[in-house]
Amino acid sequence: MRLSKKRVQHTKGMDITPMIDIVFLLLIFFITVSQVSETNREKLDLPELKGAEDQKKTSLVLNVRQNGQIVVAGNELEVADVAFLVGKELEANGGDPGLVTVVVRIDQRATCEVPNALVKQLASQGISKVRLAVQVPK
């Protein structure tokens, strides 16, 4: 005697596994990109000055520490090395210095010798878009 029949229910649905894979890949991508952008911005004590909080696209971010060391993407460089990096950026932009924008972030306790040397080097390479980063007071 059979008391119950086993019923197999076939539900029609969508397999969301590929969508979950894509979401995880996008998440990994954005985490990686945000970490790279934070690497370019060294922790410095910037001078406070009223200014704009714009985040325009920059080609190169140069950090000058209190002791005068130049740091680019976590690597300590000399002014001649910066000239080489700027030359590579110029080549990447077709040799047009108007397309290269450089942000110089200077610790407020640093002397002006290294930043002046950087700006002179950039000017000798034709870079006219040099921005100095400041801390906007709250």
Side-chain angles (χ1 to χ4, degrees):
M1 168 191 251
R2 267 191 158 158
L3 295 177
S4 66
K5 292 184 181 180
K6 290 184 180 179
R7 293 186 183 178
V8 179
Q9 292 183 350
H10 295 286
T11 58
K12 295 183 180 182
M14 184 179 359
D15 184 20
I16 62 168
T17 305
M19 186 169 44
I20 293 172
D21 290 344
I22 290 172
V23 168
F24 280 128
L25 287 174
L26 286 172
L27 184 65
I28 291 169
F29 171 77
F30 286 119
I31 288 172
T32 306
V33 169
S34 69
Q35 287 178 350
V36 168
S37 65
E38 288 299 317
T39 301
N40 291 336
R41 306 226 183 266
E42 177 114 350
K43 185 167 174 63
L44 296 175
D45 188 17
L46 297 175
E48 289 190 7
L49 184 69
K50 185 177 179 183
E53 293 188 28
D54 61 340
Q55 293 293 322
K56 295 179 183 174
K57 182 182 177 292
T58 59
S59 302
L60 195 57
V61 177
L62 306 174
N63 299 292
V64 179
R65 291 182 180 161
Q66 179 182 358
N67 59 3
Q69 290 178 329
I70 303 168
V71 180
V72 178
N75 300 318
E76 295 179 6
L77 303 174
E78 298 294 325
V79 176
D81 300 327
V82 172
F84 177 73
L85 283 177
V86 171
K88 285 174 59 176
E89 283 294 325
L90 283 170
E91 286 179 16
N93 288 307
D96 186 6
L99 297 176
V100 178
T101 303
V102 179
V103 173
V104 181
R105 302 178 73 240
I106 308 164
D107 193 302
Q108 69 178 352
R109 298 165 294 194
T111 60
C112 61
E113 296 167 358
V114 175
N116 285 343
L118 279 175
V119 172
K120 284 180 184 177
Q121 179 63 43
L122 294 170
S124 70
Q125 290 181 288
I127 307 297
S128 60
K129 293 182 182 178
V130 178
R131 299 185 315 174
L132 299 176
V134 294
Q135 180 74 28
V136 178
K138 295 179 180 173

